[in-house]
Amino acid sequence: MSGGGGRHGDRAAPDAETIAAHGLGEAEYALIEKRMGRPPNITELGIFSVMWSEHCSYKSSSIWLKKLPTEAAWVICGPGENAGVIDIGDGQAAIFKMESHNHPSFIEPYQGAATGVGGIMRDVFTMGARPIANMNALRFGDPAHPRTRHLVSGVVAGIGGYGNCMGIPTIGGECNFHRAYDGNILVNAMTVGLADKTRIFYSAAADIGHPVVYVGSKTGRDGIHGATMASAEFDADTEEKRPTVQVGDPFTEKLVLEACLELMATDAILAIQDMGAAGLTCSSVEMVSKGGTGIELDLDRVPVRETGMTPYEIMLSESQERMLMVLKPGSEDAARKIFEKWGLDFAIVGCITDSGRMVLKSGNNIVGDLPVAPLVDDAPVYERPYERRARPAPSAAGELVPDDSPPPLAALRILLAAPDLCAKRWIWEQYDHMVMTDTILRPGGDAGVVRVHGTNKGLAISTDCTPRYCAAHPESGGAQAVAETWRNLTAVGATPLAITDCLNFGNPERPEVMGQFVGCIEGMAEACRALDFPVISGNVSFYNETEGVGIPPTPAIGGVGMIGDIDRMARIAFAAPGERILLIGETGGHLDASIYAREILGREDGPPPPVDLAAERRNGDFVRRLIEAGRVSACHDISDGGLLVAVAEMALAALAEGREIGAEIDLADDGAALTGRLFGEDQARYIVSAAEGSAQTIIEDAAKANIPISSIGLSGGANLTLSASDAISLNELRHAHEDWLPQYMEAADRPANSGE
């Protein structure tokens, strides 16, 4: 593929096949020619194609994203930068973002997941933060699918390999399995960093004549067309896209991190941008577009690791561990010494101009000359047609619980061994979740918690989404994803502050998919407003389809909250026997679209549970006050699997900590209605445990605040007992809960099961 020449090169218009190979429609290409005033050469065409790709331009989603609330008194920087920034007091800021690496991880699971982790960490430390915690949200296909075990193994190894080598703890996440992800898994990675709020670094390059510096690793041919590939659905030729997956080197990224933070301690950096999707193209365009300037790059100065690289390849490579900076004149030598000390490339590759253009030089030729504004501001924006999905009618009373349904504790055992609810220890034990020694609450709880180093404050982090709710009714599902994230932060005693999102959907050119997106956005926006939980960063991932079959709508939410005193943090594990178990929130027995309906009855129909945001706020604020006052010894929100699963998880968490503390649950046995109360997934609910004396005052205080509350039993014993007539040992539940995933991953020579 030749480099082409802007003013002095070949002006022949690209043919239709070349245009289509770059993911551009006829109308889009015509607009490029109009903006350029001439046919683009191949390098210019490649630059337009990646900047106008769905992955980079958000052309199908931008008008809807504007509906999300993004402001609050504690928000320092909302969407539009590398990551979002919030004020956490004491002159400190938390910086965080979540992004997808779905297509690369399906094609090459280890490198796809690893470079996803590396990319999101760069987004955070580019802004001046030291990363302090990683999270992830993973969706795989049916365990019986022949590729699933391979994909799980590779993705988990890639996440662990990169994060562990960087020395950043992975403190939690979520992992689900469903046949709808057989052809397109989801790998969403989130990083949270800590910075001095007066030392936040931004990407706008507004200083004319100042040097543009390339630092980090050399540029190779890996990852070319990565952004374009991420903006198209898979087909029968998916395996041929393997060269578009980047190759990561966490050891080099660790050096880049330390070198950048060392330079950031000086006043040398005026603007900085990591090279992620579309590499040198996107980083340079974003910097000058935000600054209202232009840029001139000498591609012969770009450090490369392969001979004969063309301008096209240099500009579109997505090689990892690279950054672009604008430095204060006179600081170049000092900056060079820092990067050379860390064994990294440092090259002055251009300068900022007042031309409003991107000019690319190689040898004595100008190989690219493009106006900057059309690449960003004039990128196509589509108001795609969409179809709303009506909320399904609920099942008739009693219909979901036939007479031959298993007894409750037998059903509980099945649920705890199901792929979605089973223990994920096999996954998180491959992550170094304790490195840096500030992890206070490790994986397995409602949220992970890390200490703000040197203080008694904590940052709580959670990732959540229930795709089956979003598929059944997108507005409810979008609202529930935000509410559950808020609830999980609340359950550890944190004040929820802000979210990042990773919006994973199918092909937006299909009205039903666009309708899912619109509905989820509207539900998310309503929940964010009701809960004072703004969106400060995020990512949209469309075209998650294979041969026309799309994934369920999966708007993953990553939330961050603040714990003022980690000594008052709550955990899910029962703390002592003989404590009263209290249910907070209203239980209506909603079994439609539940895990129980799917795993026990084989049904996936019906509406999701209603989301009452006023109740979420009221109940959650009450629970948080209890935790802050030290009035409860354990807390757990109720979500997948309902009340009985939540109680079992509290008992099993205590057992994992060496305390055999079961529970005796006392609920009236009235047949089918009992099943709904035990396994229904009604929202805005928590379980707390408290000493007998405290429990009664909690009940009285809840009544005064109009908070639904009831005493449902006592902690203690070696069993989980239901209504004093049916019992199952904690040891039996522990094996059911913890054995499925490691046995599945070890079963290379026998057929996979589906969790029975």
Side-chain angles (χ1 to χ4, degrees):
M1 187 169 286
S2 67
R7 296 181 190 138
H8 308 297
D10 181 12
R11 297 279 182 87
D15 58 30
E17 183 178 354
T18 301
I19 294 168
H22 283 77
L24 294 164
E26 292 182 8
E28 289 177 332
Y29 177 75
L31 184 59
I32 291 171
E33 281 203 353
K34 180 178 178 181
R35 296 288 192 260
M36 292 280 290
R38 59 174 172 81
N41 65 41
I42 190 64
T43 301
E44 294 164 339
L45 181 70
I47 290 170
F48 265 102
S49 77
V50 294
M51 292 305 302
W52 284 12
S53 69
E54 193 74 61
H55 190 73
C56 293
S57 74
Y58 290 64
K59 57 190 175 185
S60 297
S61 60
S62 61
I63 62 172
W64 295 103
L65 296 176
K66 294 175 183 177
K67 292 181 175 290
L68 296 171
T70 60
E71 298 179 348
W74 52 90
V75 174
I76 296 173
C77 177
E81 275 292 339
N82 289 290
V85 187
I86 57 173
D87 189 335
I88 61 170
D90 304 310
Q92 296 174 308
I95 300 179
F96 59 95
K97 189 179 183 184
M98 179 160 58
E99 283 201 342
S100 62
H101 231 220
N102 304 334
H103 284 46
S105 298
F106 185 79
I107 296 170
E108 179 53 62
Y110 184 94
Q111 289 295 348
T115 52
V117 172
I120 197 61
M121 282 196 278
R122 282 197 307 280
D123 280 339
V124 167
F125 73 72
T126 296
M127 297 195 69
R130 179 174 290 279
I132 60 171
N134 289 332
M135 299 281 283
N136 53 69
L138 312 176
R139 265 88 190 181
F140 297 104
D142 187 340
H145 191 278
R147 287 203 66 189
T148 298
R149 187 182 290 106
H150 163 71
L151 292 168
V152 173
S153 178
V155 165
V156 171
I159 292 171
Y162 209 103
N164 295 353
C165 290
M166 285 288 292
I168 310 300
T170 299
I171 65 167
E174 56 178 346
C175 177
N176 300 141
F177 296 83
H178 193 277
R179 62 184 180 278
Y181 300 100
D182 282 350
N184 199 125
I185 66 172
L186 302 184
V187 176
N188 298 169
M190 176 179 176
T191 294
V192 179
L194 191 64
D196 182 331
K197 75 173 189 178
T198 65
R199 301 288 294 171
I200 308 298
F201 290 82
Y202 298 98
S203 58
D207 301 285
I208 308 302
H210 289 191
V212 176
V213 174
Y214 171 117
V215 300
S217 189
K218 287 180 168 61
T219 294
R221 290 189 170 96
D222 56 315
I224 295 173
H225 289 306
T228 306
M229 181 263 292
S231 304
E233 64 182 75
F234 284 148
D235 54 29
D237 300 323
T238 292
E239 286 299 316
E240 297 179 7
K241 297 177 181 177
R242 192 176 299 273
T244 66
V245 178
Q246 310 92 327
V247 177
D249 180 356
F251 298 104
T252 297
E253 177 131 331
K254 174 65 171 174
L255 300 178
V256 174
L257 164 64
E258 299 301 339
C260 285
L261 293 181
E262 183 175 339
L263 185 59
M264 286 169 171
T266 72
D267 62 352
I269 298 176
L270 298 174
I272 182 169
Q273 176 74 40
D274 85 289
M275 294 192 216
L280 185 56
T281 288
C282 196
S283 57
S284 56
V285 169
E286 287 189 3
M287 292 176 79
V288 296
S289 67
K290 291 175 183 175
T293 53
I295 190 168
E296 185 174 292
L297 295 173
D298 185 344
L299 301 188
D300 293 341
R301 297 183 181 181
V302 174
V304 295
R305 63 171 180 257
E306 300 181 49
T307 58
M309 289 191 69
T310 66
Y312 180 99
E313 292 171 327
I314 292 171
M315 290 302 297
L316 271 64
S317 167
E318 293 186 9
S319 294
Q320 298 292 285
E321 295 89 38
R322 302 179 299 159
M323 311 285 274
L324 203 63
M325 302 177 177
V326 177
L327 298 183
K328 184 178 295 185
S331 64
E332 297 93 332
D333 288 343
R336 184 189 301 274
K337 288 179 181 178
I338 290 174
F339 281 91
E340 289 181 348
K341 180 186 75 172
W342 289 98
L344 298 166
D345 280 289
F346 178 99
I348 300 173
V349 296
C351 66
I352 301 300
T353 70
D354 61 0
S355 67
R357 303 186 71 83
M358 169 185 274
V359 178
L360 309 176
K361 296 181 176 180
S362 179
N364 294 319
N365 294 323
I366 293 176
V367 295
D369 186 351
L370 309 87
V372 170
L375 292 170
V376 180
D377 300 332
D378 295 341
V381 175
Y382 295 124
E383 295 188 46
R384 298 199 185 276
Y386 62 91
E387 297 173 358
R388 291 191 181 275
R389 178 176 172 81
R391 185 176 176 86
S395 301
E399 179 185 339
L400 278 173
V401 190
D403 292 339
D404 60 352
S405 299
L409 293 183
L412 173 66
R413 190 187 185 285
I414 294 170
L415 292 178
L416 289 177
D420 276 9
L421 292 182
C422 73
K424 302 304 189 293
R425 183 183 300 274
W426 181 90
I427 293 176
W428 58 258
E429 283 189 341
Q430 297 186 54
Y431 307 150
D432 190 339
H433 50 276
M434 298 302 292
V435 66
M436 299 176 72
T437 71
D438 278 323
T439 302
I440 305 300
L441 199 56
R442 64 185 67 190
D446 286 317
V449 179
V450 288
R451 181 195 302 269
V452 177
H453 191 72
T455 75
N456 217 41
K457 300 189 301 185
L459 285 177
I461 311 163
S462 180
T463 57
D464 295 285
C465 182
T466 310
R468 64 183 184 278
Y469 294 171
C470 298
H473 187 239
E475 289 87 341
S476 299
Q480 191 275 340
V482 172
E484 185 174 347
T485 305
W486 192 88
R487 213 161 51 232
N488 280 333
L489 298 175
T490 294
V492 299
T495 299
L497 294 175
I499 68 172
T500 182
D501 58 46
C502 199
L503 308 177
N504 308 274
F505 290 81
N507 185 342
E509 297 167 51
R510 292 199 289 125
E512 64 271 25
V513 172
M514 200 64 210
Q516 292 171 344
F517 182 81
V518 170
C520 285
I521 287 287
E522 290 178 345
M524 289 169 55
E526 183 183 6
C528 288
R529 286 190 294 268
L531 301 173
D532 286 335
F533 207 25
V535 181
I536 65 165
S537 60
N539 167 240
V540 177
S541 176
F542 276 135
Y543 295 98
N544 289 289
E545 299 202 358
T546 297
E547 297 183 346
V549 179
I551 62 162
T554 311
I557 305 296
V560 173
M562 169 61 67
I563 301 174
D565 181 358
I566 57 175
D567 292 336
R568 291 294 176 91
M569 178 187 71
R571 303 171 185 268
I572 74 168
F574 286 135
E579 294 198 330
R580 182 65 60 183
I581 301 172
L582 304 176
L583 167 62
I584 295 173
E586 189 169 354
T587 296
H590 189 99
L591 285 173
D592 278 314
S594 67
I595 287 283
Y596 179 91
R598 189 179 78 191
E599 297 293 331
I600 305 299
L601 306 176
R603 297 183 56 160
E604 297 190 54
D605 57 335
V611 179
D612 183 336
L613 293 169
E616 288 283 3
R617 185 65 183 262
R618 184 171 57 249
N619 296 355
D621 289 348
F622 179 76
V623 167
R624 195 180 312 106
R625 289 194 296 269
L626 294 178
I627 295 170
E628 290 171 349
R631 299 175 65 187
V632 298
S633 61
C635 181
H636 189 16
D637 91 304
I638 300 177
S639 55
D640 281 353
L643 184 154
L644 196 57
V645 166
V647 171
E649 289 172 340
M650 296 175 82
L652 292 174
L655 191 63
E657 295 175 3
R659 300 188 306 278
E660 189 175 64
I661 306 174
E664 183 173 328
I665 303 302
D666 186 13
L667 295 175
D669 187 352
D670 51 2
L674 175 63
T675 301
R677 291 205 302 277
L678 291 174
F679 299 108
E681 296 180 5
D682 306 278
Q683 299 294 292
R685 296 187 299 161
Y686 302 80
I687 294 176
V688 299
S689 61
E692 278 284 3
S694 298
Q696 186 56 41
T697 61
I698 290 172
I699 292 172
E700 293 169 359
D701 289 347
K704 294 175 185 176
N706 293 318
I707 304 293
I709 190 167
S710 58
S711 175
I712 61 171
L714 290 172
S715 63
N719 300 321
L720 180 57
T721 303
L722 185 60
S723 300
S725 62
D726 196 8
I728 188 169
S729 74
L730 296 184
N731 192 51
E732 183 177 351
L733 289 178
R734 178 178 64 84
H735 280 292
H737 191 47
E738 295 196 356
D739 289 355
W740 182 82
L741 186 56
Q743 288 177 358
Y744 169 72
M745 294 307 299
E746 291 168 4
D749 298 323
R750 59 182 175 84
N753 63 45
S754 58
E756 287 79 13

